[in-house]
């Protein structure tokens, strides 16, 4: 990969300062949000790539291989089917060790859309934050979602 010059990086940083609102037109990445998704620029890296907090609430994930007994334990933990439902999905991912792209069938737990907004317990947040630490995810995504939940609950009172 050829990296852009410092001049180009600075030009992009000047054109897209932190806080600039953007809309996704195209992204060649299997993990890209849908075209048309809006977001806020949080920076420009040294390759002149925009770092964006997308408005669609996307969060990083880890893909686990689970046995039927693992799935039953997860069902209990996630409150399936009362709090969450399961959805079969087709996922594309890039292997950490090999770099190969693969497509697999998986499932995800999704909170029922008609469920009222709530605020996670401190225990649950700590568990999630520990997971974010383990996988080097940006904890600000989770903390922002928590703050938004608190604000939404406060506005409903």
């Amino acid at each position: 990969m050829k990296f852009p010059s410092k001049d180009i990086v600075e030009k992009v940083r000047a054109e897209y300062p932190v806080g600039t609102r953007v809309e996704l037109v195209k992204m060649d990445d299997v993990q890209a949000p849908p075209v048309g998704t809006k977001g806020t620029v949080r920076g420009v890296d040294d390759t002149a790539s925009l770092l964006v907090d997308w408005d669609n609430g996307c969060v990083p994930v880890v893909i686990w291989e689970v046995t039927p007994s693992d799935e039953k334990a997860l069902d209990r933990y996630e409150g399936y089917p009362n709090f969450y439902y399961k959805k079969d999905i087709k996922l594309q991912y890039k292997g950490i060790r090999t770099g190969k792209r693969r497509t697999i069938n998986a499932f995800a737990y999704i909170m029922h859309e008609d469920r009222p907004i709530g605020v996670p317990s401190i225990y649950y947040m700590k568990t999630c934050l520990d997971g974010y630490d383990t996988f080097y995810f940006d904890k600000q995504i989770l903390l922002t979602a928590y703050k938004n939940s608190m604000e939404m609950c406060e506005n409903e009172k």
Side-chain angles (χ1 to χ4, degrees):
M1 173 180 183
K2 183 178 179 196
F3 289 95
S5 69
K6 287 183 181 182
D7 290 340
I8 291 174
V9 172
E10 290 310 315
K11 183 178 177 185
V12 172
R13 285 183 176 144
E15 191 173 343
Y16 296 97
V18 172
T20 301
R21 297 288 294 161
V22 294
E23 181 175 332
L24 184 64
V25 176
K26 180 182 177 187
M27 185 186 291
D28 186 21
D29 186 330
V30 296
Q31 296 180 28
V35 169
T37 302
K38 294 181 179 165
T40 304
V41 174
R42 63 179 167 92
V44 176
D45 70 14
D46 291 338
T47 67
S49 295
L50 298 182
L51 306 173
V52 179
D53 287 328
W54 298 108
D55 294 350
N56 64 351
C58 287
V59 295
V61 299
V62 175
I63 304 168
W64 297 97
E65 183 174 351
V66 296
T67 65
S69 64
D70 293 333
E71 186 174 346
K72 284 182 183 176
L74 280 167
D75 286 350
R76 283 190 302 277
Y77 177 77
E78 295 293 351
Y80 169 81
N82 298 325
F83 299 126
Y84 291 84
Y85 61 93
K86 285 192 276 192
K87 183 173 182 175
D88 291 327
I89 56 176
K90 197 170 282 252
L91 276 180
Q92 275 194 336
Y93 73 95
K94 188 165 111 177
I96 293 171
R97 288 185 294 276
T98 66
K100 285 185 176 179
R101 293 197 181 275
R102 296 186 178 125
T103 301
I104 60 169
N105 293 315
F107 68 88
Y109 291 97
I110 301 172
M111 186 178 288
H112 290 291
E113 288 84 357
D114 59 350
R115 186 162 182 75
I117 281 288
V119 178
S121 70
I122 297 298
Y123 174 79
Y124 187 80
M125 278 298 292
K126 180 170 178 358
T127 301
C128 292
L129 286 167
D130 288 347
Y132 273 55
D133 274 340
T134 299
F135 295 101
Y136 304 102
F137 290 158
D138 179 0
K139 289 191 285 191
Q140 196 56 51
I141 294 168
L142 185 61
L143 296 171
T144 299
Y146 183 80
K147 179 181 169 231
N148 290 346
S149 294
M150 287 179 52
E151 287 172 0
M152 289 174 79
C153 285
E154 189 62 35
N155 290 336
E156 290 185 8
K157 288 183 181 180

mmCIF file of all heavy atoms in Angstrom, residues 31-53:
data_model
loop_
_atom_site.group_PDB
_atom_site.id
_atom_site.type_symbol
_atom_site.label_atom_id
_atom_site.label_comp_id
_atom_site.label_asym_id
_atom_site.label_seq_id
_atom_site.Cartn_x
_atom_site.Cartn_y
_atom_site.Cartn_z
ATOM 1 N N GLN A 31 -17.271 -4.748 6.664
ATOM 2 C CA GLN A 31 -17.866 -4.297 7.919
ATOM 3 C C GLN A 31 -18.439 -2.888 7.811
ATOM 4 O O GLN A 31 -18.845 -2.306 8.804
ATOM 5 C CB GLN A 31 -16.826 -4.347 9.027
ATOM 6 C CG GLN A 31 -16.350 -5.748 9.309
ATOM 7 C CD GLN A 31 -15.326 -5.779 10.412
ATOM 8 O OE1 GLN A 31 -15.311 -4.951 11.293
ATOM 9 N NE2 GLN A 31 -14.456 -6.755 10.373
ATOM 10 N N ALA A 32 -18.477 -2.328 6.616
ATOM 11 C CA ALA A 32 -18.978 -0.964 6.435
ATOM 12 C C ALA A 32 -20.456 -0.883 6.768
ATOM 13 O O ALA A 32 -21.217 -1.811 6.509
ATOM 14 C CB ALA A 32 -18.755 -0.527 4.994
ATOM 15 N N PRO A 33 -20.872 0.245 7.339
ATOM 16 C CA PRO A 33 -22.309 0.450 7.529
ATOM 17 C C PRO A 33 -22.978 0.641 6.164
ATOM 18 O O PRO A 33 -22.288 0.852 5.160
ATOM 19 C CB PRO A 33 -22.391 1.723 8.374
ATOM 20 C CG PRO A 33 -21.067 2.366 8.303
ATOM 21 C CD PRO A 33 -20.072 1.338 7.847
ATOM 22 N N PRO A 34 -24.292 0.589 6.117
ATOM 23 C CA PRO A 34 -24.989 0.748 4.833
ATOM 24 C C PRO A 34 -24.730 2.128 4.216
ATOM 25 O O PRO A 34 -24.585 3.122 4.933
ATOM 26 C CB PRO A 34 -26.471 0.594 5.198
ATOM 27 C CG PRO A 34 -26.487 -0.070 6.537
ATOM 28 C CD PRO A 34 -25.216 0.299 7.213
ATOM 29 N N VAL A 35 -24.691 2.164 2.886
ATOM 30 C CA VAL A 35 -24.573 3.441 2.175
ATOM 31 C C VAL A 35 -25.716 4.341 2.635
ATOM 32 O O VAL A 35 -26.843 3.894 2.810
ATOM 33 C CB VAL A 35 -24.625 3.209 0.638
ATOM 34 C CG1 VAL A 35 -24.784 4.518 -0.107
ATOM 35 C CG2 VAL A 35 -23.374 2.471 0.183
ATOM 36 N N GLY A 36 -25.403 5.617 2.858
ATOM 37 C CA GLY A 36 -26.404 6.572 3.337
ATOM 38 C C GLY A 36 -26.340 6.792 4.842
ATOM 39 O O GLY A 36 -26.952 7.724 5.362
ATOM 40 N N THR A 37 -25.594 5.920 5.559
ATOM 41 C CA THR A 37 -25.460 6.090 7.003
ATOM 42 C C THR A 37 -24.701 7.381 7.284
ATOM 43 O O THR A 37 -23.713 7.690 6.628
ATOM 44 C CB THR A 37 -24.705 4.899 7.626
ATOM 45 O OG1 THR A 37 -25.418 3.693 7.326
ATOM 46 C CG2 THR A 37 -24.569 5.046 9.132
ATOM 47 N N LYS A 38 -25.185 8.148 8.256
ATOM 48 C CA LYS A 38 -24.533 9.403 8.625
ATOM 49 C C LYS A 38 -23.701 9.200 9.884
ATOM 50 O O LYS A 38 -23.955 8.288 10.669
ATOM 51 C CB LYS A 38 -25.573 10.493 8.829
ATOM 52 C CG LYS A 38 -26.280 10.830 7.534
ATOM 53 C CD LYS A 38 -27.299 11.904 7.685
ATOM 54 C CE LYS A 38 -27.900 12.136 6.303
ATOM 55 N NZ LYS A 38 -29.094 12.876 6.309
ATOM 56 N N GLY A 39 -22.711 10.077 10.034
ATOM 57 C CA GLY A 39 -21.848 9.973 11.198
ATOM 58 C C GLY A 39 -21.091 11.259 11.449
ATOM 59 O O GLY A 39 -21.219 12.235 10.704
ATOM 60 N N THR A 40 -20.284 11.234 12.517
ATOM 61 C CA THR A 40 -19.501 12.394 12.925
ATOM 62 C C THR A 40 -18.025 12.019 12.897
ATOM 63 O O THR A 40 -17.625 11.006 13.483
ATOM 64 C CB THR A 40 -19.898 12.835 14.350
ATOM 65 O OG1 THR A 40 -21.311 13.090 14.372
ATOM 66 C CG2 THR A 40 -19.149 14.092 14.753
ATOM 67 N N VAL A 41 -17.225 12.848 12.233
ATOM 68 C CA VAL A 41 -15.785 12.608 12.147
ATOM 69 C C VAL A 41 -15.172 12.793 13.533
ATOM 70 O O VAL A 41 -15.430 13.791 14.202
ATOM 71 C CB VAL A 41 -15.121 13.566 11.133
ATOM 72 C CG1 VAL A 41 -13.603 13.424 11.155
ATOM 73 C CG2 VAL A 41 -15.668 13.313 9.736
ATOM 74 N N ARG A 42 -14.371 11.800 13.953
ATOM 75 C CA ARG A 42 -13.649 11.927 15.225
ATOM 76 C C ARG A 42 -12.152 12.063 15.000
ATOM 77 O O ARG A 42 -11.378 12.128 15.947
ATOM 78 C CB ARG A 42 -13.980 10.794 16.177
ATOM 79 C CG ARG A 42 -13.595 9.425 15.739
ATOM 80 C CD ARG A 42 -13.969 8.404 16.824
ATOM 81 N NE ARG A 42 -13.894 7.068 16.343
ATOM 82 C CZ ARG A 42 -12.818 6.294 16.424
ATOM 83 N NH1 ARG A 42 -11.732 6.737 16.983
ATOM 84 N NH2 ARG A 42 -12.842 5.076 15.951
ATOM 85 N N GLY A 43 -11.749 12.111 13.721
ATOM 86 C CA GLY A 43 -10.351 12.314 13.405
ATOM 87 C C GLY A 43 -10.010 11.796 12.026
ATOM 88 O O GLY A 43 -10.853 11.217 11.332
ATOM 89 N N VAL A 44 -8.770 12.039 11.614
ATOM 90 C CA VAL A 44 -8.222 11.538 10.355
ATOM 91 C C VAL A 44 -6.887 10.904 10.705
ATOM 92 O O VAL A 44 -6.037 11.537 11.338
ATOM 93 C CB VAL A 44 -8.033 12.678 9.324
ATOM 94 C CG1 VAL A 44 -7.373 12.153 8.060
ATOM 95 C CG2 VAL A 44 -9.365 13.347 8.999
ATOM 96 N N ASP A 45 -6.694 9.642 10.314
ATOM 97 C CA ASP A 45 -5.436 8.971 10.667
ATOM 98 C C ASP A 45 -4.322 9.326 9.681
ATOM 99 O O ASP A 45 -4.524 10.134 8.763
ATOM 100 C CB ASP A 45 -5.628 7.459 10.812
ATOM 101 C CG ASP A 45 -5.905 6.738 9.501
ATOM 102 O OD1 ASP A 45 -5.699 7.327 8.411
ATOM 103 O OD2 ASP A 45 -6.322 5.573 9.557
ATOM 104 N N ASP A 46 -3.144 8.735 9.885
ATOM 105 C CA ASP A 46 -1.978 9.074 9.068
ATOM 106 C C ASP A 46 -2.029 8.535 7.643
ATOM 107 O O ASP A 46 -1.130 8.793 6.846
ATOM 108 C CB ASP A 46 -0.696 8.584 9.754
ATOM 109 C CG ASP A 46 -0.402 9.362 11.018
ATOM 110 O OD1 ASP A 46 -0.899 10.507 11.143
ATOM 111 O OD2 ASP A 46 0.322 8.844 11.889
ATOM 112 N N THR A 47 -3.090 7.763 7.312
ATOM 113 C CA THR A 47 -3.270 7.312 5.931
ATOM 114 C C THR A 47 -4.353 8.132 5.233
ATOM 115 O O THR A 47 -4.823 7.769 4.169
ATOM 116 C CB THR A 47 -3.643 5.812 5.873
ATOM 117 O OG1 THR A 47 -4.943 5.631 6.438
ATOM 118 C CG2 THR A 47 -2.624 4.952 6.585
ATOM 119 N N ALA A 48 -4.774 9.220 5.892
ATOM 120 C CA ALA A 48 -5.827 10.118 5.395
ATOM 121 C C ALA A 48 -7.205 9.459 5.419
ATOM 122 O O ALA A 48 -8.118 9.897 4.729
ATOM 123 C CB ALA A 48 -5.502 10.661 4.012
ATOM 124 N N SER A 49 -7.368 8.417 6.226
ATOM 125 C CA SER A 49 -8.670 7.774 6.375
ATOM 126 C C SER A 49 -9.464 8.486 7.456
ATOM 127 O O SER A 49 -8.927 8.807 8.525
ATOM 128 C CB SER A 49 -8.498 6.306 6.767
ATOM 129 O OG SER A 49 -7.871 5.592 5.733
ATOM 130 N N LEU A 50 -10.751 8.707 7.188
ATOM 131 C CA LEU A 50 -11.616 9.320 8.182
ATOM 132 C C LEU A 50 -11.957 8.308 9.274
ATOM 133 O O LEU A 50 -12.279 7.158 8.980
ATOM 134 C CB LEU A 50 -12.926 9.800 7.539
ATOM 135 C CG LEU A 50 -12.836 10.868 6.453
ATOM 136 C CD1 LEU A 50 -14.234 11.238 5.983
ATOM 137 C CD2 LEU A 50 -12.093 12.085 6.927
ATOM 138 N N LEU A 51 -11.907 8.744 10.517
ATOM 139 C CA LEU A 51 -12.362 7.944 11.652
ATOM 140 C C LEU A 51 -13.724 8.519 12.023
ATOM 141 O O LEU A 51 -13.830 9.684 12.392
ATOM 142 C CB LEU A 51 -11.381 8.052 12.814
ATOM 143 C CG LEU A 51 -9.927 7.718 12.459
ATOM 144 C CD1 LEU A 51 -9.004 8.009 13.632
ATOM 145 C CD2 LEU A 51 -9.813 6.271 12.025
ATOM 146 N N VAL A 52 -14.769 7.689 11.890
ATOM 147 C CA VAL A 52 -16.134 8.185 12.002
ATOM 148 C C VAL A 52 -16.915 7.405 13.049
ATOM 149 O O VAL A 52 -16.841 6.178 13.100
ATOM 150 C CB VAL A 52 -16.862 8.083 10.631
ATOM 151 C CG1 VAL A 52 -18.299 8.566 10.741
ATOM 152 C CG2 VAL A 52 -16.114 8.868 9.557
ATOM 153 N N ASP A 53 -17.662 8.129 13.869
ATOM 154 C CA ASP A 53 -18.641 7.512 14.763
ATOM 155 C C ASP A 53 -19.961 7.522 14.005
ATOM 156 O O ASP A 53 -20.564 8.581 13.803
ATOM 157 C CB ASP A 53 -18.774 8.303 16.073
ATOM 158 C CG ASP A 53 -17.591 8.120 16.983
ATOM 159 O OD1 ASP A 53 -16.990 7.031 16.964
ATOM 160 O OD2 ASP A 53 -17.256 9.057 17.721
#
